[in-house]
Amino acid sequence: MKSIDKILLDSATFADQQETNNFIGKFKELYKISLFKIGLDAILTKAELGNVKFILEHKNKFERLHGCCISSSSSKFNKIFKVFTKELNHQIKIQTLETYVLAHEITHALEKESKLDIRKDFSTALKIDMQYVKNSHILIQRAIKQILFKELELY
């Protein structure tokens, strides 16, 4: 079994070693958030298979984009089951090497892998949560008010 460092080294295209080390550190930092572990493991598995590539492109000072995830599909013949299977490949381009940008772009890859429509599914879950907020625990009510009303108000 390959280490996280080896998998990321094999799947990353960066200009110099320092950027690569910084990238690996940022990726590992995401593991501190337990909610991300399953998704990070999935991305590492795809990277080990050669289906995820990380590319650092230096940002033009006039550009607002911090990163993007470009996905494409290919078909392969499965000799065991004698069928063609569809496989997704992801190119995660990072222009601003920050943990939040990396998390955001990995989330896009996972969204495509899971075939979820986050905009639709998130709004449905949010609507259900909002219907039951008055019946929930007082700490949850406070957290929802803080995040959904006070924090979003700033945007």
Side-chain angles (χ1 to χ4, degrees), residues 62 76 114-115 131 135:
F62 300 111
K76 290 188 177 179
S114 65
K115 295 172 183 61
Q131 288 173 348
N135 298 334

Side-chain angles (χ1 to χ4, degrees), residues 1 6-9 12 23-24 35 37 50-51 76 82-83 88 99 103 119-120 133 138 149 151 155:
M1 185 164 118
K6 178 71 174 134
I7 293 168
L8 293 174
L9 280 171
F23 162 71
I24 291 171
L35 182 65
K37 186 184 179 324
N51 297 332
K76 290 188 177 179
K82 298 185 184 339
V83 295
L88 283 173
T99 309
R119 289 178 295 232
K120 183 184 114 230
V133 74
I138 188 72
F149 300 110
E151 299 288 332
Y155 287 95

Side-chain angles (χ1 to χ4, degrees), residues 43-73:
I43 289 296
L44 280 175
T45 301
K46 297 279 292 178
E48 189 173 18
L49 295 171
N51 297 332
V52 173
K53 298 291 180 197
F54 296 95
I55 301 166
L56 180 66
E57 294 180 341
H58 290 285
K59 185 177 174 180
N60 178 328
K61 64 181 177 181
F62 300 111
E63 191 162 348
R64 294 178 61 205
L65 189 66
H66 294 282
C68 67
C69 176
I70 301 169
S71 300
S72 61
S73 62

